[in-house]
Amino acid sequence: DRIAVMLKVGELAQRSGLTVRTLHHYDAIGLLAPSGRSESGYRLYALQMCSGYYDYADGYMPDFPGI
């Protein structure tokens, strides 16, 4: 089994070129929900989950290096 690589919202924002605010908005509208939360309450995203993400709103496909 593969171990899931989990990213905090800031790490995902940096890798994707999206802003943290945009990712929070996507979470709020159900477009890209986090995989879970850290003990401190940070949103956590499974890197594997993000590899197929597509923003239908503007046709932008973020680049997730290393996937």
Side-chain angles (χ1 to χ4, degrees):
D1 291 329
R2 291 177 18 171
I3 297 173
V5 175
M6 302 298 282
L7 301 174
K8 291 182 189 174
V9 68
E11 295 167 325
L12 179 59
Q14 186 176 26
R15 286 180 179 231
S16 68
L18 299 172
T19 64
V20 169
R21 185 174 178 178
T22 297
L23 291 169
H24 286 177
H25 174 70
Y26 288 171
D27 178 19
I29 64 172
L31 184 61
L32 183 64
S35 302
R37 298 249 179 185
S38 71
E39 290 181 12
S40 302
Y42 289 103
R43 291 168 175 88
L44 297 174
Y45 295 86
L47 188 58
Q48 294 81 358
M49 175 193 80
C50 299
S51 65
Y53 169 73
Y54 185 78
D55 177 8
Y56 293 100
D58 63 4
Y60 174 71
M61 176 65 100
D63 180 24
F64 295 98
I67 298 177

